[in-house]
Amino acid sequence: MTQTSVSLALAAFSFLLTVIWGNPLLRILRHFKMGEQIRMDGPERHFAKLGTPTMGGLMIVLPVTLITLLLNGASLIGPTEVLGNSVLLPTGVLVLFALIGIVDDWAGLRGKRTDGLSARMKFLLQTLIAFWAAFGLYHYLDAPHLYLPGFHIEFKVGLWYIPIAMFLIVGFSNAINITDGLDGLAGLISVTAFIAYGGIAILQGQTFVARFCFTLVGALFGFLWFNVHPAQLFMGDTGALSLGAALAVVALMTGQWAVLPIIAIIPVSTTLSVMLQVPYFKLTRRIYGEGRRLFKMAPLHHHFELSGWSETQVVQRFWLISLMTAMIGVALAVS
């Protein structure tokens, strides 16, 4: 089988496994009353989602981890290698960030504080895992440092690679988490980005990275089976934090992280909307005596909801933008 055929076969297998595993997980989450908490200052239409099961990222992380470990184990006794040891690093990042999300989701639902882990603790844990991943990419996997569009050479950044990699891993982990606010939005954006990087990996001959990406693509499609509007469950921090971190690691493994802000334009824009809204409000309050807002509400998807777009319109239009920028990003990466 060709590289592409194996990658697509893994995607199909991962999709089936996720869909089969989905209903039992839903029953478990409902049994333990793992219902979503809704922001009281959010759009009123979201109040109907109160109690929808969260922590649905388990539906993605567990099948991907199982497939990756089984195929790596099988390669030790089989005639050919289906997945290389290199994918154990992004798989480890996926699992570790999911564990942070599980603790945060559980604390938010069962603890006295509805926001889960403190921002400082979450950031500290993310930074520690990101350092481990960046160190592994630099010293053990010898990942390409940087490819720029239009150039056919690798640019070396030296030890700066480690802090840059840490910034990308932590940054995109939180960016996908911020984007996860509407039914299907984070899932569709993530699956588009992983398809893009899976394609880039195939074109660069990075077989194992491509297969890891498409295994995630299949699991994400399986998750979206339950997450499209009206959602039966949400991915929660368990899924959002882990997907963003894994996406950044994959981009770093290909060396094509310069186009990541283009391929993942929606998470970047959504995060920027939050980063701009707060200081603008504080600045205008200092100048005018009352705070003003750049957007009707941040993150950005809520601004468009309050501007009259339906939830489905926001998700579909953001996804269309994501598809276009993903194609542009792939074109730039292979130019």
Side-chain angles (χ1 to χ4, degrees), residues 18-272:
T18 305
V19 170
I20 292 170
W21 145 247
N23 281 316
L25 177 62
L26 266 175
R27 288 196 293 271
I28 293 170
L29 294 175
R30 286 168 179 161
H31 174 76
F32 287 102
K33 298 181 180 179
M34 302 299 293
E36 178 70 292
Q37 303 292 325
I38 304 299
R39 285 176 53 185
M40 297 308 295
D41 59 342
E44 291 184 7
R45 72 182 72 171
H46 287 206
F47 295 161
K49 301 180 181 183
L50 185 64
T52 301
T54 188
M55 213 180 283
L58 289 170
M59 191 181 293
I60 303 167
V61 174
L62 290 180
V64 172
T65 304
L66 178 64
I67 291 171
T68 302
L69 294 179
L70 285 177
L71 291 180
N72 272 275
S75 68
L76 297 176
I77 58 175
T80 58
E81 199 170 15
V82 182
L83 286 176
N85 291 332
S86 60
V87 300
L88 295 179
L89 190 144
T91 304
V93 169
L94 185 78
V95 171
L96 291 173
F97 272 82
L99 289 175
I100 296 175
I102 289 171
V103 173
D104 193 42
D105 287 337
W106 182 264
L109 293 168
R110 296 299 181 186
K112 294 180 180 180
R113 294 173 292 105
T114 58
D115 293 330
L117 288 175
S118 68
R120 181 176 298 179
M121 178 57 69
K122 189 187 296 185
F123 179 75
L124 175 62
L125 293 172
Q126 289 175 315
T127 302
L128 290 173
I129 299 169
F131 174 75
W132 164 76
F135 189 83
L137 287 166
Y138 184 80
H139 284 286
Y140 295 104
L141 295 187
D142 195 25
H145 282 205
L146 173 64
Y147 293 119
L148 291 174
F151 295 89
H152 299 284
I153 58 172
E154 177 189 349
F155 291 87
K156 294 289 186 179
V157 296
L159 286 175
W160 282 105
Y161 181 88
I162 292 179
I164 290 171
M166 291 173 63
F167 173 78
L168 289 172
I169 293 168
V170 175
F172 275 89
S173 174
N174 289 293
I176 296 294
N177 195 30
I178 293 171
T179 306
D180 182 30
L182 302 179
D183 295 352
L185 180 59
L188 287 168
I189 299 304
S190 297
V191 80
T192 303
F194 279 109
I195 289 172
Y197 272 105
I200 289 172
I202 287 175
L203 293 172
Q204 291 185 172
Q206 292 181 292
T207 306
F208 304 134
V209 177
R211 292 173 185 176
F212 174 77
C213 285
F214 282 102
T215 303
L216 259 174
V217 166
L220 276 162
F221 276 133
F223 169 76
L224 285 166
W225 186 274
F226 301 93
N227 183 242
V228 291
H229 185 74
Q232 295 176 262
L233 86 167
F234 304 131
M235 68 168 62
D237 285 11
T238 305
L241 293 178
S242 57
L243 287 172
L247 176 61
V249 170
V250 165
L252 288 161
M253 291 179 76
T254 62
Q256 298 288 356
W257 51 267
V259 297
L260 180 56
I262 298 173
I263 290 174
I265 188 67
I266 296 300
V268 171
S269 302
T270 302
T271 304
L272 286 175

Side-chain angles (χ1 to χ4, degrees), residues 277-304:
Q277 181 88 315
V278 175
Y280 183 80
F281 183 85
K282 292 180 178 179
L283 178 64
T284 53
R285 184 170 59 184
R286 185 176 301 173
I287 296 174
Y288 301 108
E290 62 176 3
R292 300 181 181 180
R293 291 177 169 83
L294 275 173
F295 308 99
K296 294 182 178 181
M297 182 179 288
L300 191 60
H301 43 266
H302 291 326
H303 168 81
F304 287 103

